[in-house]
Amino acid sequence: MNRRSLAGRLAALAAVTATLGGCAPDGGDDGAASPVSAPPGSTAQRTPGSGGTSARTPQGTLLVTDFGADTVTFVDPAGRGTAADLGSVRVGTAPYGIALGEDGTAWVATAEGVAAVDTRTRVRTALVPHRTDTGPVTTGEYRGGGMGIALSPDGSRVYVGVNVPGGKGTLEVVDTERREVTRVVPIGRRPFDVDVSRDGRQVYATNHDSFDVSVVDTGDWTARRIEVAPYGTEGGLGSWLKPHYAAVRPSDGALLLPFEGERLAVVDPGTGRVRIEDMTANTHQHGVTAGADGTLYVVGTGPIDPSEDDGPSLTVRTPEGDERVVPLDGPHETVALSADGRTAYVSGGFTRDGYWNGLSAVDVATGRVTRLPVGERPLAIAVLGGQGTGAG
């Protein structure tokens, strides 16, 4: 494993930052496709199967957010390099994260608000506007609006991290029955990810541009800041060495945040203590999820410095810390597991330039990778458990 010094690392970053679109603090539209306009609540007409349907949504269907459009797309991953497109639903500009309820409702964070989609009928049933002022509705990596999103364990609340360009973000709380924002809590900058503790008493917002996690108490709605910066905060907003996504470890509720294929930050949200473990992929890392058994799946997006870093990959890390690194072709962003845990689906959307319109299906046992064409800059993935059920 390449254990570079921080000084050397920062020097390398300075040399490449000017040529890479990366995790810089501010910027305009990064080339994302403009959303197709349509009446609110209508369904996309660009794909087969669009619009409401009485056909059963197959178990194991993937629902992906099309960050390069204004839709979510339903895909039956048939395998062998093919995928059955089951249609797309318009949800709002530049959809980012997605959270799936046990009643079959998918909640989608967009630049305009939080959309509710009935995954059984494949129809948008609501769009809850943000209460936070995020400026004009735009597209691209730095657009304002909803990013990370999660559901409370009882399904009564949706928590969405809202990016405010040039300022600190907020955590908006949506009542799922009333379908309105009931509370707004200040958090850090650019909340890529939102997670919830197993008992529902805490919400965790991973804030990319402020090097931290906000721990929000759902009893009194206070927020605590935990700095998570295993490389330090030198470079500030221009640094690449910032947190992106987190996973809640099933065994003890610790937060797991990967960095650069070199360091895994293990955060105790109660005490605020951060412990660092070694990793081996040596690549810029973004998405992460944990299986029911505690196995960690981490997305490597590719090198910051091609002369020193390795390419895109999926790291499969056991609870004991043993790692297997599966190479991927091209940048990827997030990862979701099939219900049986045998397949990891990795989105090709990517928050920066270099994305592709598809996902990689990785056979966890063999490491075999199948590339499937999916959506328009697909970013987040949810695995449906069949009609009327959610999925993990």
Side-chain angles (χ1 to χ4, degrees):
M1 178 168 54
N2 185 356
R3 307 306 300 168
R4 289 157 285 182
S5 69
L6 179 57
R9 179 82 180 196
L10 290 171
L13 296 182
V16 299
T17 296
T19 59
L20 291 176
C23 301
D26 286 308
D29 194 320
D30 56 1
S34 297
V36 181
S37 60
S42 65
T43 53
Q45 300 299 316
R46 60 179 174 77
T47 56
S50 295
T53 176
S54 59
R56 180 183 179 91
T57 301
Q59 185 172 2
T61 293
L62 308 181
L63 183 59
V64 301
T65 57
D66 294 317
F67 190 59
D70 59 359
T71 54
V72 292
T73 297
F74 291 80
V75 179
D76 183 5
R80 298 186 180 182
T82 64
D85 191 330
L86 302 179
S88 299
V89 177
R90 296 190 193 278
V91 290
T93 303
Y96 197 100
I98 188 168
L100 188 62
E102 292 187 359
D103 64 353
T105 301
W107 300 89
V108 184
T110 81
E112 302 173 51
V114 177
V117 176
D118 187 326
T119 62
R120 298 161 298 184
T121 59
R122 300 174 217 157
V123 169
R124 191 186 82 177
T125 58
L127 179 61
V128 182
H130 295 305
R131 272 177 46 184
T132 303
D133 182 4
T134 62
V137 174
T138 61
T139 62
E141 179 181 358
Y142 303 100
R143 65 111 173 107
M147 297 187 71
I149 191 169
L151 270 165
S152 62
D154 64 3
S156 66
R157 296 168 178 159
V158 172
Y159 305 107
V160 57
V162 179
N163 178 42
V164 178
K168 291 185 177 180
T170 66
L171 182 77
E172 293 192 341
V173 182
V174 177
D175 184 300
T176 58
E177 182 175 354
R178 292 157 54 189
R179 300 196 168 189
E180 65 181 24
V181 176
T182 59
R183 190 173 297 273
V184 179
V185 181
I187 55 172
R189 299 175 67 111
R190 220 163 147 222
F192 265 57
D193 197 16
V194 172
D195 297 278
V196 182
S197 64
R198 293 168 295 176
D199 59 11
R201 295 180 179 179
Q202 294 181 330
V203 180
Y204 312 119
T206 301
N207 307 306
H208 179 268
D209 283 359
S210 48
F211 295 90
D212 59 30
V213 171
S214 296
V215 179
V216 178
D217 188 303
T218 60
D220 60 12
W221 301 107
T222 57
R224 291 183 291 113
R225 177 182 184 267
I226 300 177
E227 183 174 285
V228 186
Y231 292 92
T233 61
E234 187 175 348
L237 291 177
S239 172
W240 287 64
L241 307 177
K242 295 182 277 193
H244 293 86
Y245 300 84
V248 179
R249 187 159 60 188
S251 61
D252 61 1
L255 304 179
L256 307 176
L257 295 90
F259 287 78
E260 304 307 310
E262 296 180 330
R263 304 177 187 185
L264 180 68
V266 181
V267 180
D268 183 330
T271 65
R273 293 173 181 162
V274 181
R275 181 170 53 83
I276 304 300
E277 298 180 1
D278 289 342
M279 296 189 73
T280 61
N282 189 33
T283 189
H284 190 57
Q285 289 176 321
H286 276 209
V288 58
T289 194
D293 64 352
T295 299
L296 204 63
Y297 301 83
V298 184
V299 181
T301 69
I304 294 177
D305 182 352
S307 69
E308 293 191 27
D309 305 330
D310 294 334
S313 63
L314 177 70
T315 293
V316 181
R317 180 184 176 94
T318 69
E320 294 74 33
D322 297 323
E323 292 189 350
R324 182 162 49 95
V325 178
V326 180
L328 298 176
D329 183 10
H332 292 69
E333 182 68 20
T334 67
V335 58
L337 290 177
S338 61
D340 60 12
R342 296 179 180 178
T343 306
Y345 298 106
V346 193
S347 66
F350 200 37
T351 55
R352 306 203 313 265
D353 289 335
Y355 60 86
W356 57 286
N357 294 332
L359 58 83
S360 292
V362 181
D363 185 304
V364 173
T366 66
R368 181 176 180 269
V369 179
T370 302
R371 286 168 63 91
L372 303 174
V374 171
E376 296 184 30
R377 198 173 184 176
L379 205 64
I381 307 171
V383 183
L384 307 186
Q387 188 171 6
T389 63

